[in-house]
Amino acid sequence: MKNPDLIIIGAGAAGLLASIRAAMYGQKVLVLEKMQSAGKKILITGKGRCNITNSDTIKDFITQVFPDGRFLYPAFKEFFNEDILALLEDCGVETILERGGRYFPKSEKAADVVDALYKKAIDLGVEFIFNAKVLSVEQKDGKINSVTYLIDLEEVKIQVKNVIICTGGKSYPGTGSTGDGYIFAKKLGHKIEKLLPALVPVETFDENANMMQGLSLKNINASLIVDGSEKDSEFGELLFTHYGLSGPVILTLSRKIVLALEEKRKVKILIDFKPALSFEKLDLRILRDLDENGKMKLANLFKFWLPQKAIPVFYKLLNIDLEKKASQVSAEERKKIVFLLKNMEFSVKTHRGYKEAVVTAGGVCLNEINPKTMASKLVKGLYFAGEVLDLDANTGGYNLQIAFSTGWLAGGLY
Ligand SMILES: Cc1cc2nc3c(=O)[nH]c(=O)nc-3n(C[C@H](O)[C@H](O)[C@H](O)COP(=O)(O)OP(=O)(O)OC[C@H]3O[C@@H](n4cnc5c(N)ncnc54)[C@H](O)[C@@H]3O)c2cc1C
């Protein structure tokens, strides 16, 4: 394309939406994408099913966003969950609503979302160049001037007045998001807030999680303990892995875990396997089971209280004679069982880093971006959208919606 009005760097969620909006406004849009096709990260979202957005109201939605979701009000007023669903529907992608307000394509295929958005952009006349790695964005006298990219080992420089940086974060670098946008932004004078992996699984010290690997528990409570005091807790689903802990409750707690680890604090996770029962109620229940099955070996009673994969860990940690009959279990031993069911402790060694983080926390400082346009306050013709910004959210379709909404707003080129 000769003399594009606008260059968009990155054909992910934000870049695709920005390109569609700008093309609808009659702009000549060129998208430079370093991978061989669009939306590589979208393809792996929601375990390949793509949790497109969430049914939350704007007010509830922004409470899921960090460090401050209020920045997104103007973007969400312009383009929110119903708008992305309507746009996809218009492109032939039907959606379904699941537990927790999560929307997915009815086909359960993330590829359908990518194909629809890409086709829409093409139909509107957007030009894509793939395998085109942008090397730098140049300014002159405070205005965007040109973009230089590498293709087939050759450097190409294009003059352009408007650029939207939609390069994503640093997580899952195999999808193309390797943090290049932060470098461009910094060179253009923007401040980058400290980058950290977010929504990331954690490694634990002992072998207990490893012994339960593959076990997924739906209704547990996990408490985060930092230097001995409780900082947060989450109820929901947890997954034990060969290295430690994962699953929604851990990913949600991970924002605070990563910060505490950065500060070299002692981090522990306490798991309550029976959050619906108080210590006293659980004690009564165990007492009843012991009474009703007095002749059974204690070891054989654990199946009433725990999934099979967790039982060997309890055997190991309890240090009680499991061969004794249920009727011979002392009150002290019973309380030990109850305590462990409500307080299994895991010391956190580290997190799994950007290669396994769902998103990147930190990014282009929001104070230097106009929330009504996504335009840089420092360089004319420069815009940012998506994860490259200092915005990240919990799981539940929130992160894609942020990328869609900020992309859409930036594409307006106000
Ligand atoms: C495993 C996983 C599952 C997830 N599941 C969900 C989910 O179900 N729901 C949800 O809401 N969010 C989910 N997310 C988060 C969500 O995918 C991201 O927040 C979102 O894709 C960010 O969109 P983006 O457009 O800002 O960046 P990206 O989608 O990462 O797109 C950035 C694009 O820029 C390109 N690029 C980067 N640098 C250059 C360069 N120098 N030159 C040219 N191109 C470049 C990249 O190749 C990439 O295509 C998930 C993330 C992961 C890792």
Side-chain angles (χ1 to χ4, degrees), residues 221-223 269-283 286 306 314 335-345:
N221 197 79
S223 302
I269 301 288
L270 281 189
I271 295 177
D272 181 349
F273 285 76
K274 303 284 173 195
L277 298 176
S278 66
F279 191 96
E280 291 71 28
K281 281 203 171 135
L282 183 59
D283 191 33
I286 304 256
L306 285 165
F314 274 74
K335 299 242 184 273
K336 222 170 154 184
I337 296 170
V338 175
F339 184 81
L340 192 58
L341 280 166
K342 292 201 68 73
N343 293 281
M344 188 180 273
E345 188 177 295

Side-chain angles (χ1 to χ4, degrees), residues 99-100 102 215-223 232-240 245-253 269-276 307 395:
R99 189 173 48 90
R102 294 160 194 246
L215 174 63
S216 171
L217 297 172
K218 282 222 158 57
N219 299 312
I220 59 90
N221 197 79
S223 302
D232 205 353
S233 74
E234 280 292 324
F235 173 80
E237 193 173 342
L238 179 136
L239 174 71
F240 294 98
L245 307 173
S246 185
V249 296
I250 296 300
L251 298 190
T252 303
L253 291 174
I269 301 288
L270 281 189
I271 295 177
D272 181 349
F273 285 76
K274 303 284 173 195
T395 56

Side-chain angles (χ1 to χ4, degrees), residues 295-315:
K295 288 191 184 147
M296 264 173 90
K297 264 200 296 184
L298 173 60
N300 292 338
L301 259 74
F302 280 82
K303 61 173 180 280
F304 297 145
W305 309 321
L306 285 165
Q308 198 57 39
K309 272 196 174 168
I311 295 175
V313 179
F314 274 74
Y315 287 173

Side-chain angles (χ1 to χ4, degrees), residues 9-15 32-35 39-42 44-46 50-52 132-134 166-169 171-172 175-178 180 184 357-359 385-388 397-401 403:
I9 309 173
L32 300 174
E33 167 56 56
K34 75 170 167 197
M35 304 301 280
K40 284 276 183 199
K41 187 170 274 175
I42 301 177
I44 59 164
T45 57
C50 186
N51 180 189
I52 303 161
K133 179 178 164 39
V134 172
C166 301
T167 43
S171 61
Y172 275 77
T175 62
S177 47
T178 48
D180 299 3
F184 305 149
V358 174
V359 283
E387 210 179 304
V388 71
Y398 302 104
N399 286 294
L400 278 174
Q401 184 66 55

Side-chain angles (χ1 to χ4, degrees), residues 166-232:
C166 301
T167 43
K170 283 179 80 165
S171 61
Y172 275 77
T175 62
S177 47
T178 48
D180 299 3
Y182 306 123
I183 299 167
F184 305 149
K186 205 169 169 195
K187 276 204 178 141
L188 291 160
H190 277 272
K191 184 179 170 205
I192 307 300
E193 299 292 354
K194 190 174 171 59
L195 303 171
L196 286 172
L199 300 180
V200 63
V202 297
E203 292 182 18
T204 50
F205 275 107
D206 53 51
E207 55 173 17
N208 298 337
N210 178 293
M211 285 173 73
M212 294 186 272
Q213 65 178 281
L215 174 63
S216 171
L217 297 172
K218 282 222 158 57
N219 299 312
I220 59 90
N221 197 79
S223 302
L224 167 63
I225 313 293
V226 179
D227 286 344
S229 47
E230 183 172 337
K231 294 290 175 206
D232 205 353

Side-chain angles (χ1 to χ4, degrees), residues 307-367:
Q308 198 57 39
K309 272 196 174 168
I311 295 175
V313 179
F314 274 74
Y315 287 173
K316 190 185 95 175
L317 295 173
L318 279 169
N319 201 15
I320 298 176
D321 175 13
L322 297 160
E323 292 301 310
K324 66 165 66 174
K325 294 218 167 77
S327 59
Q328 295 167 334
V329 173
S330 70
E332 196 188 329
E333 287 169 331
R334 195 183 72 236
K335 299 242 184 273
K336 222 170 154 184
I337 296 170
V338 175
F339 184 81
L340 192 58
L341 280 166
K342 292 201 68 73
N343 293 281
M344 188 180 273
E345 188 177 295
F346 294 85
S347 288
V348 177
K349 186 165 39 164
T350 185
H351 55 74
R352 297 287 281 178
Y354 289 110
K355 65 180 189 309
E356 289 184 35
V358 174
V359 283
T360 306
V364 175
C365 174
L366 301 181
N367 293 340

Side-chain angles (χ1 to χ4, degrees), residues 122-176:
I122 292 286
D123 289 349
L124 286 162
V126 175
E127 186 176 310
F128 288 79
I129 305 183
F130 293 107
N131 301 307
K133 179 178 164 39
V134 172
L135 301 175
S136 64
V137 180
E138 296 91 23
Q139 63 156 319
K140 206 174 169 191
D141 304 327
K143 294 178 191 159
I144 286 296
N145 182 57
S146 54
V147 168
T148 305
Y149 66 97
L150 188 71
I151 189 156
D152 297 334
L153 300 174
E154 209 177 298
E155 277 191 26
V156 181
K157 190 184 205 113
I158 308 188
Q159 301 296 318
V160 71
K161 289 202 169 89
N162 296 296
V163 167
I164 310 179
I165 296 181
C166 301
T167 43
K170 283 179 80 165
S171 61
Y172 275 77
T175 62

